[in-house]
Amino acid sequence: MLRGMATTTYYADDLEAAKDWYAEFLGVQPYFHVPNGYYEFRIGDYQHELGIINRAYAPAGARNQPGGGGFVNWHVDDLEATFARLLAMGAKEYEPITPRGEGTGFVTAAVIDPFGNIVGIMSNPHYLDVLGRTGGA
């Protein structure tokens, strides 16, 4: 059911310092930027996304001390069905199904699995674009 990592997100109180640190660590500059809110890098063989988000925009449950708040969003073909299945398997809703910008095609949701881990799922047109360019199925 999980097809691959879509976006890994980390939160930072100092967005600019985090962007600089990750740019140095990764050896690439971010390719996408929302002023005062978000930087996104493309990394790895499949150009997976690593996003750095201003902690002010983190879900309420992620606004805690360092070490909390980051999780991977997995691209799925049917977000609603996957979300329902996770809940049926005993996961607890962390963040409801949420469109991310009108007409963008980005939709996310997240659950806390029975072991306390945050599992993010999303519909992500960027993931499908990369998959198509690399010949994935």
Side-chain angles (χ1 to χ4, degrees):
M1 183 173 293
L2 295 178
R3 297 212 26 215
M5 186 191 72
T7 304
T8 298
T9 56
Y10 299 116
Y11 299 102
D13 291 317
D14 186 337
L15 185 63
E16 295 302 312
K19 183 263 301 179
D20 292 343
W21 191 91
Y22 275 95
E24 182 177 343
F25 174 66
L26 299 169
V28 296
Q29 292 297 313
Y31 81 99
F32 182 72
H33 175 227
V34 175
N36 299 314
Y38 184 72
Y39 282 101
E40 188 168 275
F41 298 86
R42 291 266 185 190
I43 58 174
D45 294 331
Y46 273 74
Q47 296 295 286
H48 291 303
E49 299 168 359
L50 172 61
I52 310 297
I53 301 173
N54 183 327
R55 190 176 304 279
Y57 300 110
R63 293 185 189 134
N64 52 13
Q65 67 264 5
F71 58 93
V72 171
N73 288 306
W74 293 93
H75 175 81
V76 296
D77 289 330
D78 187 334
L79 187 100
E80 291 182 15
T82 302
F83 191 63
R85 182 163 185 249
L86 287 164
L87 294 175
M89 294 176 64
K92 304 284 189 241
E93 182 177 294
Y94 181 74
E95 185 176 82
I97 294 173
T98 306
R100 301 295 180 177
E102 190 172 322
T104 65
F106 295 100
V107 183
T108 66
V111 299
I112 299 175
D113 73 14
F115 315 102
N117 301 296
I118 299 171
V119 178
I121 56 173
M122 77 184 304
S123 295
N124 181 332
H126 288 171
Y127 179 80
L128 294 174
D129 290 343
V130 170
L131 190 64
R133 287 194 310 269
T134 59

